[in-house]
PDB file of all heavy atoms in Angstrom:
ATOM      1  N   PHE A   1      -0.814   4.294   8.793  1.00  0.00           N
ATOM      2  CA  PHE A   1       0.186   3.536   8.051  1.00  0.00           C
ATOM      3  C   PHE A   1       1.308   3.098   8.989  1.00  0.00           C
ATOM      4  O   PHE A   1       1.723   3.836   9.878  1.00  0.00           O
ATOM      5  CB  PHE A   1       0.760   4.370   6.901  1.00  0.00           C
ATOM      6  CG  PHE A   1      -0.215   4.607   5.788  1.00  0.00           C
ATOM      7  CD1 PHE A   1      -0.712   5.881   5.530  1.00  0.00           C
ATOM      8  CD2 PHE A   1      -0.655   3.555   4.997  1.00  0.00           C
ATOM      9  CE1 PHE A   1      -1.613   6.100   4.496  1.00  0.00           C
ATOM     10  CE2 PHE A   1      -1.564   3.760   3.964  1.00  0.00           C
ATOM     11  CZ  PHE A   1      -2.039   5.035   3.718  1.00  0.00           C
ATOM     12  N   GLY A   2       1.809   1.875   8.788  1.00  0.00           N
ATOM     13  CA  GLY A   2       2.864   1.347   9.631  1.00  0.00           C
ATOM     14  C   GLY A   2       4.165   2.131   9.498  1.00  0.00           C
ATOM     15  O   GLY A   2       4.430   2.761   8.468  1.00  0.00           O
ATOM     16  N   TRP A   3       4.989   2.078  10.555  1.00  0.00           N
ATOM     17  CA  TRP A   3       6.308   2.729  10.527  1.00  0.00           C
ATOM     18  C   TRP A   3       7.301   1.715   9.969  1.00  0.00           C
ATOM     19  O   TRP A   3       7.693   0.764  10.636  1.00  0.00           O
ATOM     20  CB  TRP A   3       6.709   3.162  11.939  1.00  0.00           C
ATOM     21  CG  TRP A   3       7.989   3.948  11.958  1.00  0.00           C
ATOM     22  CD1 TRP A   3       9.218   3.517  12.341  1.00  0.00           C
ATOM     23  CD2 TRP A   3       8.156   5.312  11.561  1.00  0.00           C
ATOM     24  NE1 TRP A   3      10.155   4.525  12.220  1.00  0.00           N
ATOM     25  CE2 TRP A   3       9.521   5.648  11.740  1.00  0.00           C
ATOM     26  CE3 TRP A   3       7.288   6.302  11.083  1.00  0.00           C
ATOM     27  CZ2 TRP A   3      10.040   6.902  11.458  1.00  0.00           C
ATOM     28  CZ3 TRP A   3       7.816   7.553  10.799  1.00  0.00           C
ATOM     29  CH2 TRP A   3       9.157   7.843  10.995  1.00  0.00           C
ATOM     30  N   ARG A   4       7.679   1.927   8.711  1.00  0.00           N
ATOM     31  CA  ARG A   4       8.461   0.934   7.980  1.00  0.00           C
ATOM     32  C   ARG A   4       9.817   1.518   7.578  1.00  0.00           C
ATOM     33  O   ARG A   4       9.943   2.188   6.553  1.00  0.00           O
ATOM     34  CB  ARG A   4       7.687   0.460   6.756  1.00  0.00           C
ATOM     35  CG  ARG A   4       6.341  -0.151   7.134  1.00  0.00           C
ATOM     36  CD  ARG A   4       5.450  -0.421   5.951  1.00  0.00           C
ATOM     37  NE  ARG A   4       4.127  -0.858   6.399  1.00  0.00           N
ATOM     38  CZ  ARG A   4       3.053  -0.920   5.617  1.00  0.00           C
ATOM     39  NH1 ARG A   4       3.149  -0.574   4.339  1.00  0.00           N
ATOM     40  NH2 ARG A   4       1.892  -1.318   6.108  1.00  0.00           N
ATOM     41  N   PRO A   5      10.845   1.282   8.398  1.00  0.00           N
ATOM     42  CA  PRO A   5      12.159   1.882   8.144  1.00  0.00           C
ATOM     43  C   PRO A   5      12.716   1.566   6.764  1.00  0.00           C
ATOM     44  O   PRO A   5      13.360   2.417   6.142  1.00  0.00           O
ATOM     45  CB  PRO A   5      13.036   1.280   9.250  1.00  0.00           C
ATOM     46  CG  PRO A   5      12.085   1.002  10.374  1.00  0.00           C
ATOM     47  CD  PRO A   5      10.816   0.560   9.699  1.00  0.00           C
ATOM     48  N   ARG A   6      12.500   0.368   6.261  1.00  0.00           N
ATOM     49  CA  ARG A   6      13.033   0.026   4.934  1.00  0.00           C
ATOM     50  C   ARG A   6      12.433   0.941   3.865  1.00  0.00           C
ATOM     51  O   ARG A   6      13.128   1.421   2.970  1.00  0.00           O
ATOM     52  CB  ARG A   6      12.721  -1.433   4.596  1.00  0.00           C
ATOM     53  CG  ARG A   6      13.408  -2.464   5.479  1.00  0.00           C
ATOM     54  CD  ARG A   6      13.440  -3.798   4.743  1.00  0.00           C
ATOM     55  NE  ARG A   6      13.443  -4.939   5.639  1.00  0.00           N
ATOM     56  CZ  ARG A   6      13.460  -6.200   5.226  1.00  0.00           C
ATOM     57  NH1 ARG A   6      13.440  -6.476   3.925  1.00  0.00           N
ATOM     58  NH2 ARG A   6      13.471  -7.198   6.083  1.00  0.00           N
ATOM     59  N   ASP A   7      11.127   1.163   3.940  1.00  0.00           N
ATOM     60  CA  ASP A   7      10.467   2.031   2.963  1.00  0.00           C
ATOM     61  C   ASP A   7      10.979   3.460   3.071  1.00  0.00           C
ATOM     62  O   ASP A   7      11.181   4.148   2.062  1.00  0.00           O
ATOM     63  CB  ASP A   7       8.949   2.020   3.177  1.00  0.00           C
ATOM     64  CG  ASP A   7       8.320   0.668   2.863  1.00  0.00           C
ATOM     65  OD1 ASP A   7       9.044  -0.235   2.416  1.00  0.00           O
ATOM     66  OD2 ASP A   7       7.101   0.522   3.069  1.00  0.00           O
ATOM     67  N   ILE A   8      11.164   3.911   4.295  1.00  0.00           N
ATOM     68  CA  ILE A   8      11.629   5.284   4.508  1.00  0.00           C
ATOM     69  C   ILE A   8      13.028   5.470   3.925  1.00  0.00           C
ATOM     70  O   ILE A   8      13.309   6.450   3.235  1.00  0.00           O
ATOM     71  CB  ILE A   8      11.618   5.621   6.016  1.00  0.00           C
ATOM     72  CG1 ILE A   8      10.173   5.612   6.541  1.00  0.00           C
ATOM     73  CG2 ILE A   8      12.261   6.988   6.264  1.00  0.00           C
ATOM     74  CD1 ILE A   8      10.071   5.679   8.056  1.00  0.00           C
ATOM     75  N   ARG A   9      13.907   4.497   4.163  1.00  0.00           N
ATOM     76  CA  ARG A   9      15.273   4.593   3.649  1.00  0.00           C
ATOM     77  C   ARG A   9      15.311   4.655   2.121  1.00  0.00           C
ATOM     78  O   ARG A   9      16.144   5.345   1.538  1.00  0.00           O
ATOM     79  CB  ARG A   9      16.100   3.386   4.113  1.00  0.00           C
ATOM     80  CG  ARG A   9      16.387   3.345   5.592  1.00  0.00           C
ATOM     81  CD  ARG A   9      17.356   2.213   5.940  1.00  0.00           C
ATOM     82  NE  ARG A   9      17.259   1.870   7.347  1.00  0.00           N
ATOM     83  CZ  ARG A   9      16.666   0.778   7.820  1.00  0.00           C
ATOM     84  NH1 ARG A   9      16.128  -0.088   6.989  1.00  0.00           N
ATOM     85  NH2 ARG A   9      16.631   0.549   9.112  1.00  0.00           N
ATOM     86  N   PHE A  10      14.404   3.920   1.483  1.00  0.00           N
ATOM     87  CA  PHE A  10      14.429   3.823   0.027  1.00  0.00           C
ATOM     88  C   PHE A  10      13.414   4.732  -0.667  1.00  0.00           C
ATOM     89  O   PHE A  10      13.157   4.603  -1.856  1.00  0.00           O
ATOM     90  CB  PHE A  10      14.217   2.362  -0.400  1.00  0.00           C
ATOM     91  CG  PHE A  10      15.410   1.491  -0.157  1.00  0.00           C
ATOM     92  CD1 PHE A  10      15.490   0.725   0.993  1.00  0.00           C
ATOM     93  CD2 PHE A  10      16.464   1.463  -1.047  1.00  0.00           C
ATOM     94  CE1 PHE A  10      16.602  -0.079   1.235  1.00  0.00           C
ATOM     95  CE2 PHE A  10      17.573   0.665  -0.818  1.00  0.00           C
ATOM     96  CZ  PHE A  10      17.644  -0.101   0.331  1.00  0.00           C
ATOM     97  N   GLY A  11      12.812   5.650   0.100  1.00  0.00           N
ATOM     98  CA  GLY A  11      11.964   6.661  -0.526  1.00  0.00           C
ATOM     99  C   GLY A  11      10.560   6.223  -0.836  1.00  0.00           C
ATOM    100  O   GLY A  11       9.873   6.858  -1.643  1.00  0.00           O
ATOM    101  N   LEU A  12      10.067   5.160  -0.177  1.00  0.00           N
ATOM    102  CA  LEU A  12       8.711   4.682  -0.467  1.00  0.00           C
ATOM    103  C   LEU A  12       7.748   4.960   0.674  1.00  0.00           C
ATOM    104  O   LEU A  12       6.687   4.360   0.759  1.00  0.00           O
ATOM    105  CB  LEU A  12       8.736   3.180  -0.772  1.00  0.00           C
ATOM    106  CG  LEU A  12       9.329   2.837  -2.137  1.00  0.00           C
ATOM    107  CD1 LEU A  12       9.444   1.335  -2.300  1.00  0.00           C
ATOM    108  CD2 LEU A  12       8.483   3.420  -3.252  1.00  0.00           C
ATOM    109  N   ALA A  13       8.105   5.885   1.552  1.00  0.00           N
ATOM    110  CA  ALA A  13       7.160   6.336   2.564  1.00  0.00           C
ATOM    111  C   ALA A  13       6.192   7.312   1.911  1.00  0.00           C
ATOM    112  O   ALA A  13       6.262   7.586   0.723  1.00  0.00           O
ATOM    113  CB  ALA A  13       7.914   6.996   3.723  1.00  0.00           C
ATOM    114  N   MET A  14       5.230   7.806   2.693  1.00  0.00           N
ATOM    115  CA  MET A  14       4.321   8.824   2.188  1.00  0.00           C
ATOM    116  C   MET A  14       4.713  10.174   2.774  1.00  0.00           C
ATOM    117  O   MET A  14       4.689  10.337   3.980  1.00  0.00           O
ATOM    118  CB  MET A  14       2.872   8.491   2.563  1.00  0.00           C
ATOM    119  CG  MET A  14       2.278   7.386   1.706  1.00  0.00           C
ATOM    120  SD  MET A  14       2.181   7.913  -0.009  1.00  0.00           S
ATOM    121  CE  MET A  14       1.696   6.384  -0.816  1.00  0.00           C
ATOM    122  N   PRO A  15       5.077  11.187   1.940  1.00  0.00           N
ATOM    123  CA  PRO A  15       5.060  11.103   0.481  1.00  0.00           C
ATOM    124  C   PRO A  15       6.284  10.367  -0.059  1.00  0.00           C
ATOM    125  O   PRO A  15       7.358  10.430   0.529  1.00  0.00           O
ATOM    126  CB  PRO A  15       5.101  12.573   0.057  1.00  0.00           C
ATOM    127  CG  PRO A  15       5.823  13.254   1.171  1.00  0.00           C
ATOM    128  CD  PRO A  15       5.419  12.536   2.431  1.00  0.00           C
ATOM    129  N   PRO A  16       6.135   9.654  -1.180  1.00  0.00           N
ATOM    130  CA  PRO A  16       7.274   8.955  -1.773  1.00  0.00           C
ATOM    131  C   PRO A  16       8.249   9.949  -2.374  1.00  0.00           C
ATOM    132  O   PRO A  16       7.901  11.071  -2.698  1.00  0.00           O
ATOM    133  CB  PRO A  16       6.619   8.086  -2.855  1.00  0.00           C
ATOM    134  CG  PRO A  16       5.357   8.800  -3.206  1.00  0.00           C
ATOM    135  CD  PRO A  16       4.903   9.477  -1.964  1.00  0.00           C
ATOM    136  N   ARG A  17       9.501   9.527  -2.524  1.00  0.00           N
ATOM    137  CA  ARG A  17      10.491  10.395  -3.141  1.00  0.00           C
ATOM    138  C   ARG A  17      11.429   9.546  -3.987  1.00  0.00           C
ATOM    139  O   ARG A  17      11.706   8.387  -3.679  1.00  0.00           O
ATOM    140  CB  ARG A  17      11.288  11.165  -2.078  1.00  0.00           C
ATOM    141  CG  ARG A  17      11.950  10.265  -1.060  1.00  0.00           C
ATOM    142  CD  ARG A  17      12.519  11.040   0.130  1.00  0.00           C
ATOM    143  NE  ARG A  17      12.969  10.150   1.181  1.00  0.00           N
ATOM    144  CZ  ARG A  17      14.155   9.566   1.215  1.00  0.00           C
ATOM    145  NH1 ARG A  17      15.034   9.801   0.252  1.00  0.00           N
ATOM    146  NH2 ARG A  17      14.494   8.764   2.195  1.00  0.00           N
ATOM    147  N   MET A  18      11.896  10.099  -5.083  1.00  0.00           N
ATOM    148  CA  MET A  18      12.842   9.414  -5.956  1.00  0.00           C
ATOM    149  C   MET A  18      14.227   9.988  -5.707  1.00  0.00           C
ATOM    150  O   MET A  18      14.447  11.186  -5.908  1.00  0.00           O
ATOM    151  CB  MET A  18      12.446   9.575  -7.421  1.00  0.00           C
ATOM    152  CG  MET A  18      13.341   8.801  -8.380  1.00  0.00           C
ATOM    153  SD  MET A  18      13.451   7.032  -8.017  1.00  0.00           S
ATOM    154  CE  MET A  18      11.765   6.511  -8.352  1.00  0.00           C
ATOM    155  N   THR A  19      15.124   9.159  -5.215  1.00  0.00           N
ATOM    156  CA  THR A  19      16.470   9.600  -4.884  1.00  0.00           C
ATOM    157  C   THR A  19      17.449   9.176  -5.979  1.00  0.00           C
ATOM    158  O   THR A  19      17.143   8.336  -6.829  1.00  0.00           O
ATOM    159  CB  THR A  19      16.915   8.990  -3.546  1.00  0.00           C
ATOM    160  OG1 THR A  19      17.030   7.562  -3.708  1.00  0.00           O
ATOM    161  CG2 THR A  19      15.918   9.299  -2.443  1.00  0.00           C
ATOM    162  N   LEU A  20      18.645   9.750  -5.917  1.00  0.00           N
ATOM    163  CA  LEU A  20      19.701   9.355  -6.844  1.00  0.00           C
ATOM    164  C   LEU A  20      20.001   7.858  -6.702  1.00  0.00           C
ATOM    165  O   LEU A  20      20.212   7.153  -7.687  1.00  0.00           O
ATOM    166  CB  LEU A  20      20.960  10.182  -6.580  1.00  0.00           C
ATOM    167  CG  LEU A  20      22.197   9.820  -7.434  1.00  0.00           C
ATOM    168  CD1 LEU A  20      21.901  10.008  -8.914  1.00  0.00           C
ATOM    169  CD2 LEU A  20      23.389  10.661  -6.993  1.00  0.00           C
ATOM    170  N   ASN A  21      19.977   7.384  -5.463  1.00  0.00           N
ATOM    171  CA  ASN A  21      20.229   5.969  -5.210  1.00  0.00           C
ATOM    172  C   ASN A  21      19.180   5.099  -5.911  1.00  0.00           C
ATOM    173  O   ASN A  21      19.509   4.059  -6.501  1.00  0.00           O
ATOM    174  CB  ASN A  21      20.223   5.702  -3.702  1.00  0.00           C
ATOM    175  CG  ASN A  21      20.608   4.263  -3.376  1.00  0.00           C
ATOM    176  OD1 ASN A  21      21.414   3.648  -4.060  1.00  0.00           O
ATOM    177  ND2 ASN A  21      20.019   3.730  -2.328  1.00  0.00           N
ATOM    178  N   ASN A  22      17.915   5.511  -5.855  1.00  0.00           N
ATOM    179  CA  ASN A  22      16.856   4.756  -6.520  1.00  0.00           C
ATOM    180  C   ASN A  22      17.065   4.727  -8.035  1.00  0.00           C
ATOM    181  O   ASN A  22      16.837   3.708  -8.691  1.00  0.00           O
ATOM    182  CB  ASN A  22      15.486   5.355  -6.193  1.00  0.00           C
ATOM    183  CG  ASN A  22      15.069   5.105  -4.754  1.00  0.00           C
ATOM    184  OD1 ASN A  22      15.752   4.393  -4.017  1.00  0.00           O
ATOM    185  ND2 ASN A  22      13.962   5.693  -4.352  1.00  0.00           N
ATOM    186  N   ILE A  23      17.472   5.859  -8.577  1.00  0.00           N
ATOM    187  CA  ILE A  23      17.709   5.936 -10.027  1.00  0.00           C
ATOM    188  C   ILE A  23      18.856   4.995 -10.426  1.00  0.00           C
ATOM    189  O   ILE A  23      18.782   4.294 -11.451  1.00  0.00           O
ATOM    190  CB  ILE A  23      18.020   7.385 -10.433  1.00  0.00           C
ATOM    191  CG1 ILE A  23      16.778   8.262 -10.206  1.00  0.00           C
ATOM    192  CG2 ILE A  23      18.465   7.457 -11.891  1.00  0.00           C
ATOM    193  CD1 ILE A  23      17.036   9.751 -10.361  1.00  0.00           C
ATOM    194  N   ILE A  24      19.885   4.950  -9.607  1.00  0.00           N
ATOM    195  CA  ILE A  24      21.004   4.038  -9.877  1.00  0.00           C
ATOM    196  C   ILE A  24      20.532   2.585  -9.825  1.00  0.00           C
ATOM    197  O   ILE A  24      20.928   1.748 -10.645  1.00  0.00           O
ATOM    198  CB  ILE A  24      22.146   4.288  -8.863  1.00  0.00           C
ATOM    199  CG1 ILE A  24      22.759   5.675  -9.100  1.00  0.00           C
ATOM    200  CG2 ILE A  24      23.218   3.193  -8.971  1.00  0.00           C
ATOM    201  CD1 ILE A  24      23.749   6.088  -8.021  1.00  0.00           C
ATOM    202  N   GLN A  25      19.663   2.284  -8.862  1.00  0.00           N
ATOM    203  CA  GLN A  25      19.127   0.925  -8.754  1.00  0.00           C
ATOM    204  C   GLN A  25      18.345   0.534 -10.016  1.00  0.00           C
ATOM    205  O   GLN A  25      18.440  -0.602 -10.493  1.00  0.00           O
ATOM    206  CB  GLN A  25      18.207   0.818  -7.537  1.00  0.00           C
ATOM    207  CG  GLN A  25      18.898   0.913  -6.199  1.00  0.00           C
ATOM    208  CD  GLN A  25      17.894   1.015  -5.078  1.00  0.00           C
ATOM    209  OE1 GLN A  25      16.850   0.363  -5.096  1.00  0.00           O
ATOM    210  NE2 GLN A  25      18.179   1.842  -4.089  1.00  0.00           N
ATOM    211  N   ILE A  26      17.549   1.453 -10.512  1.00  0.00           N
ATOM    212  CA  ILE A  26      16.775   1.185 -11.725  1.00  0.00           C
ATOM    213  C   ILE A  26      17.703   0.890 -12.893  1.00  0.00           C
ATOM    214  O   ILE A  26      17.494  -0.057 -13.660  1.00  0.00           O
ATOM    215  CB  ILE A  26      15.858   2.381 -12.040  1.00  0.00           C
ATOM    216  CG1 ILE A  26      14.748   2.495 -10.978  1.00  0.00           C
ATOM    217  CG2 ILE A  26      15.235   2.236 -13.437  1.00  0.00           C
ATOM    218  CD1 ILE A  26      13.916   3.761 -11.100  1.00  0.00           C
ATOM    219  N   MET A  27      18.772   1.688 -13.018  1.00  0.00           N
ATOM    220  CA  MET A  27      19.725   1.493 -14.112  1.00  0.00           C
ATOM    221  C   MET A  27      20.433   0.135 -14.004  1.00  0.00           C
ATOM    222  O   MET A  27      20.823  -0.454 -15.008  1.00  0.00           O
ATOM    223  CB  MET A  27      20.751   2.622 -14.110  1.00  0.00           C
ATOM    224  CG  MET A  27      20.152   3.988 -14.430  1.00  0.00           C
ATOM    225  SD  MET A  27      21.340   5.344 -14.233  1.00  0.00           S
ATOM    226  CE  MET A  27      22.557   4.916 -15.492  1.00  0.00           C
ATOM    227  N   ALA A  28      20.548  -0.375 -12.774  1.00  0.00           N
ATOM    228  CA  ALA A  28      21.211  -1.664 -12.556  1.00  0.00           C
ATOM    229  C   ALA A  28      20.294  -2.848 -12.839  1.00  0.00           C
ATOM    230  O   ALA A  28      20.744  -4.002 -12.814  1.00  0.00           O
ATOM    231  CB  ALA A  28      21.727  -1.747 -11.121  1.00  0.00           C
TER     232      ALA A  28
END
């Protein structure tokens, strides 16, 4: 899998993770 800094910052690397920031984005 490619090294994708944007995905890593936002929790979409493997394994994926759901952060507080992501939850706030969803609410927005």
Side-chain angles (χ1 to χ4, degrees):
F1 290 112
W3 185 256
R4 301 170 187 166
R6 294 201 208 180
D7 293 356
I8 295 169
R9 292 187 200 105
F10 286 96
L12 287 174
M14 284 296 172
R17 56 191 171 84
M18 184 56 66
T19 66
L20 177 60
N21 185 33
N22 289 354
I23 294 171
I24 293 172
Q25 291 171 39
I26 291 172
M27 294 173 63

